[in-house]
Amino acid sequence: MCLRSLPCPLFLLLLVASCSQSPVFEQYETVSRIGDQQEWAAKDLDDRDWEKGKPIVAGGQIYWFRTPIAILKAPGPLHPYGIQLDVYGEYEVFWDGVLIGKNGNPGQEAVLPPEGKMWATFSIPTHLTEAGQHVLAIRSSLYHFPDHSGIWGLKMDHYDDLLKDRLIESSYMHLFAGAFLIASFYFLLLFLSDKKEYATLIFSISCFLFFILILAEFSKAYMPIHYSMHIVRLRIIGSLMLGISFLIPFYFSMQFPFPKRKLLLTLFAGVLLFFFLSRYVFELTANNMVLSMWLFSFGIVVFGVYKRMKGARLVLLTLLLSVPIGFVTPFNKSLFAGFSLILLGMFYLLSLRIKEQRLAYETSLVQSTRLRLELLKKNIQPHFLMNTLTSLIDWVEEAPKKGVLFIEALAKEFDLFNQIENKTLIPIAQEIALCRTHLEIMEYRKEINYSLQEEGIDLKEKIPPGILHTLLENGITHSLPLEDNSIRFTLSFEANSDYKCYTFLTFAAGLGKETKKEGTGLKYIKARLTESYHGQWDFTSEPADHGWRNTIKIYS
């Protein structure tokens, strides 16, 4: 096959096309006749009264084809000519009246098991291949598909070249298919490591379907396929093309979102199913599906270019490059070359997405580390220590036992911070314990009654460390106690199939206005959420009648 490497299928197609050999034969019009007489194989038979075109025969009935062939150049003595046929049915092949090959048992298909193969190659004796006029005669029967009679493909060349070229073509295509198989496994593993990236899964499935499509198309070179099973092969190829033709625009729609996306994708799927279920010939059905896929993908990518979305221009170029391939190469070659170019465009978009995610993750790590250090510094800064130590001195002098409890609470908080500062996720129970310890310390310092209530908490859940503690500290710092000298906090949790939600409420006075400037605490929370959940989260912090409401949603 001309597709010898993944990056440049178009170049190789054009290269092979430019290096093709000049033809060695010229084929004339084929005539046919229903019946069975051995003299019909003769070279000099007068067949002017035979029917032109393909006959309609009853199942298993014998019929003959005769095709005049002019050999333009005689072969060398050690390089005989051969003929490669693509014929429905079981048949015998005659060249100038001489039997040169047999493919099955014509006329006996109803009583004998299937024999022969759809694509067969026969050697022509050298003494029958001098330059000039010759006659190819085929005695055939068609038990399974009477409406598919005829010679669907005929190629003549040196016999060894006919055998070798097909094997070489298949070997290159299987190497080509192997690249897509490896890519499909690689991106499947990437998806399993982060199951939220559905674009990676779509690309993996597309590569795998393309791999199976290549095997189904080129297995005919080494796997004998009886013509009765050919329709099964075509249905498999059609199903694979249906899947690929839908997944490619679906992938582009994920990368370049457009209005009414679900409706248009549903209509497009209906169009593909209409073509797939139609009773037209396979080539027409395949062409219709591929053309519909290309037009829909082209519209999506043009929309991406119009909206100046990243990567849209290069993908548009790959789509446009796939157009001339269809005009300069046969259908099977243009199909795989065009699909490979489009898949390269998909891979480019995916690489951009992975790069952006990696950069965002690295940025969030740097930001999270910086903010974590600032948060720790805030808890051990001189102002905090001086206030805490001053309060501690007072408690030791006035109530030594409570002073000891104050010291123990302070030590416990520092110990908990030491345990969680380098972790990405911690159990919610550990975060709540940190909050309660901090409230205990602040109660000693400010002599205000603090309380934390929990509603619906699932102790199996994990969250980024310090985010609830930060919300708690903000509530303490920016609020005044209620009339009963208390500040209350409530943490509730709910979950469904779409998201998990934490709601942190502050019941206090002095929180009537929303802070315009985002402080270090809120930046820390957002950095931590990005680090752990990428973009699959939402955080709101707003005033409420009772004081303040904070909501953290983590999407599935």
Side-chain angles (χ1 to χ4, degrees), residues 238 242 245 267-293 295:
L242 174 66
S245 297
L267 292 176
F268 175 68
V271 170
L272 289 180
L273 284 174
F274 172 76
F275 290 137
F276 177 71
L277 299 175
S278 64
R279 294 177 177 268
Y280 298 120
V281 296
F282 170 74
E283 286 79 6
L284 182 59
T285 301
N287 274 323
N288 288 336
M289 287 195 294
V290 171
L291 180 61
S292 300
M293 178 274 297
L295 290 174

Side-chain angles (χ1 to χ4, degrees), residues 56-338:
I56 299 177
V57 298
Q61 190 176 11
I62 295 288
Y63 64 98
W64 283 71
F65 282 106
R66 287 174 60 87
T67 303
I69 293 178
I71 294 181
L72 306 178
K73 180 182 178 181
L78 300 179
H79 297 282
Y81 281 151
I83 191 165
Q84 195 172 82
L85 296 174
D86 177 4
V87 177
Y88 276 87
E90 299 187 13
Y91 53 89
E92 295 173 348
V93 182
F94 297 86
W95 184 268
D96 289 346
V98 178
L99 178 67
I100 62 172
K102 185 178 180 181
N103 187 46
N105 303 289
Q108 303 181 44
E109 294 183 71
V111 295
L112 295 178
E115 188 176 333
K117 52 187 178 180
M118 183 77 182
W119 299 271
T121 305
F122 305 94
S123 177
I124 305 174
T126 304
H127 69 277
L128 297 177
T129 54
E130 67 276 2
Q133 297 293 324
H134 301 269
V135 173
L136 170 69
I138 297 178
R139 175 179 178 265
S140 179
S141 65
L142 195 59
Y143 180 75
H144 295 281
F145 303 108
D147 56 341
H148 281 66
S149 63
I151 301 175
W152 295 83
L154 187 154
K155 183 179 179 181
M156 185 175 178
D157 204 341
H158 292 97
Y159 181 68
D160 52 351
D161 289 339
L162 290 175
L163 298 176
K164 179 180 63 177
D165 291 348
R166 176 168 286 189
L167 291 175
I168 291 175
E169 177 185 74
S170 298
S171 63
Y172 279 120
M173 286 306 299
H174 282 68
L175 289 174
F176 184 59
F180 284 97
L181 178 63
I182 294 173
S184 69
F185 284 148
Y186 174 76
F187 287 101
L188 177 62
L189 293 175
L190 282 184
F191 169 74
L192 294 177
S193 65
D194 186 1
K195 296 181 180 180
K196 300 172 185 177
E197 291 299 324
Y198 292 104
T200 306
L201 177 62
I202 298 300
F203 183 74
S204 173
I205 295 174
S206 299
C207 288
F208 185 74
L209 291 180
F210 193 62
F211 161 75
I212 299 297
L213 180 63
I214 294 175
L215 293 187
E217 173 63 27
F218 289 91
S219 60
K220 63 186 181 182
Y222 54 85
M223 183 182 298
I225 300 175
H226 190 261
Y227 80 94
S228 61
M229 295 300 296
H230 183 53
I231 191 69
V232 176
R233 172 178 170 271
L234 291 182
R235 286 173 179 168
I236 293 174
I237 292 175
S239 301
L240 294 170
M241 292 186 64
L242 174 66
I244 296 173
S245 297
F246 177 76
L247 287 178
I248 288 176
F250 180 63
Y251 177 87
F252 287 141
S253 71
M254 297 176 70
Q255 303 291 349
F256 310 121
F258 53 89
K260 299 182 180 180
R261 172 172 171 264
K262 291 184 179 179
L263 175 62
L264 292 176
L265 283 173
T266 302
L267 292 176
F268 175 68
V271 170
L272 289 180
L273 284 174
F274 172 76
F275 290 137
F276 177 71
L277 299 175
S278 64
R279 294 177 177 268
Y280 298 120
V281 296
F282 170 74
E283 286 79 6
L284 182 59
T285 301
N287 274 323
N288 288 336
M289 287 195 294
V290 171
L291 180 61
S292 300
M293 178 274 297
W294 190 91
L295 290 174
F296 194 40
S297 299
F298 182 77
I300 296 172
V301 176
V302 167
F303 178 80
V305 173
Y306 173 73
K307 292 293 184 179
R308 297 184 178 180
M309 298 181 184
K310 185 175 292 187
R313 291 185 177 181
L314 184 59
V315 176
L316 180 62
L317 178 61
T318 62
L319 286 173
L320 293 176
L321 284 175
S322 65
V323 175
I325 296 178
F327 292 98
V328 300
T329 58
F331 175 75
N332 64 333
K333 293 180 173 65
S334 63
L335 174 67
F336 292 103

Side-chain angles (χ1 to χ4, degrees), residues 362-380:
E362 291 175 354
T363 302
S364 68
L365 284 179
V366 173
Q367 185 179 16
S368 177
T369 302
R370 180 177 59 82
L371 293 172
R372 182 172 66 245
L373 293 174
E374 291 182 5
L375 198 66
L376 288 173
K377 183 175 67 175
K378 182 179 179 181
N379 284 276
I380 61 174

